[in-house]
């Protein structure tokens, strides 16, 4: 399989690329990040989703089997980039996937998306949640085989391979290692449909959790 990972230098994306190896290609906007992606065994492709056209991205996606949207504006970014990356870049990637004929699309979202931000939320956090919600809504409107994955609070602790994965789970945390492993398992498990799944650490092995979803 050839898997294109948007946001290829992100912490989850690099872990996923390492799991997928030569079959993966990570999109990065900063040339200085190309070597880090290549070190995982994946291909690195220079592509800025905030500046590229749908046609340019569709050309990169040509012959891909699946697309993973793992991009995010990241800590320290302001309100504007929460929208241009977390929402608009996902919309652009989905447009490109449709144009290139790539049906499988995995979108990394966030627990809390799909609901209004809590009253009194920080402006940047509220914008982030709204951007994720709008990106989800856009993807649901498309004729793609999409999976929306909403991880809980992300940690850099070593993965344990045990999760709770369902349309709705209680709030919790999950190592980035395990998020990447769940995405890899989702990509390897044939599924022609549409689903929104929340993810936290639990007591079910990842392979079993994915197979039943």
């Amino acid at each position: 399989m050839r898997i294109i990972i948007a946001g290829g230098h992100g912490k989850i994306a690099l872990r996923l690329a390492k799991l997928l190896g030569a079959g993966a290609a990570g999109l990065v906007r900063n040339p200085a990040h190309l070597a880090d992606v290549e070190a995982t065994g994946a291909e690195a492709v220079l592509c800025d989703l905030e500046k590229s056209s749908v046609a340019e991205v569709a050309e990169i996606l040509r012959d891909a089997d699946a697309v993973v949207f793992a991009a995010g504006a990241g800590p320290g970014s302001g309100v504007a980039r929460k929208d241009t990356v977390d929402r608009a870049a996902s919309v652009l990637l989905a447009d490109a996937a449709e144009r290139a004929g790539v049906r499988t699309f995995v979108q990394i979202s966030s627990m809390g998306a799909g609901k209004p931000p809590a009253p009194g939320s920080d402006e940047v956090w509220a914008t982030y949640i709204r951007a994720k919600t709008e990106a989800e809504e856009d993807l649901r409107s498309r004729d793609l085989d999409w999976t929306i994955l909403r991880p809980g609070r992300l940690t850099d602790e070593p993965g344990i391979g045990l999760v709770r994965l369902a349309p709705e789970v209680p709030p919790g945390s999950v190592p980035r290692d395990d998020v990447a492993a769940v995405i890899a398992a989702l990509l390897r498990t044939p599924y022609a449909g549409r689903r929104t799944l929340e993810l936290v650490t639990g007591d079910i092995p990842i392979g079993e959790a994915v197979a039943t979803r």
Side-chain angles (χ1 to χ4, degrees):
M1 293 179 69
R2 178 168 170 77
I3 312 297
I4 306 297
I5 307 169
H9 195 255
K11 291 183 178 182
I12 294 173
L14 289 172
R15 288 166 166 83
L16 178 60
K18 189 172 183 178
L19 291 174
L20 298 175
L27 308 185
V28 297
R29 66 185 180 90
N30 186 342
H33 294 162
L34 292 168
D36 290 339
V37 175
E38 291 169 348
T40 68
E43 179 187 355
V45 179
L46 196 61
C47 175
D48 187 341
L49 293 177
E50 291 179 274
K51 297 179 180 178
S52 298
S53 68
V54 172
E56 289 169 338
V57 178
E59 186 59 33
I60 294 170
L61 301 190
R62 201 163 304 283
D63 299 325
D65 297 290
V67 176
V68 178
F69 182 78
S77 58
V79 168
R81 293 201 71 233
K82 296 301 184 190
D83 182 71
T84 59
V85 178
D86 292 279
R87 181 197 62 80
S90 179
V91 172
L92 174 71
L93 191 67
D95 284 341
E98 288 182 332
R99 182 174 295 197
V102 182
R103 291 200 55 80
T104 301
F105 193 113
V106 177
Q107 181 189 79
I108 303 177
S109 187
S110 173
M111 287 186 72
K115 302 174 184 177
S121 293
D122 170 82
E123 181 186 13
V124 174
W125 172 255
T127 302
Y128 170 77
I129 288 298
R130 282 193 291 267
K132 288 297 189 187
T133 297
E134 291 173 14
E136 288 187 5
E137 290 171 348
D138 173 80
L139 189 56
R140 290 192 187 97
S141 72
R142 297 176 184 270
D143 182 25
L144 295 171
D145 297 328
W146 50 261
T147 298
I148 295 168
L149 185 66
R150 296 172 173 170
R153 183 177 60 83
L154 298 169
T155 76
D156 288 324
E157 296 172 4
I160 62 171
L162 299 172
V163 298
R164 189 166 182 180
L165 181 70
E168 187 172 356
V169 301
S173 63
V174 60
R176 289 179 172 87
D177 284 352
D178 287 337
V179 177
V182 165
I183 296 169
L186 287 167
L187 291 168
R188 292 168 177 151
T189 304
Y191 182 85
R194 300 163 176 83
R195 55 192 170 179
T196 301
L197 301 171
E198 296 186 346
L199 171 66
V200 295
T201 293
D203 56 5
I204 301 174
I206 286 173
E208 180 182 339
V210 169
T212 58
R213 295 292 170 237

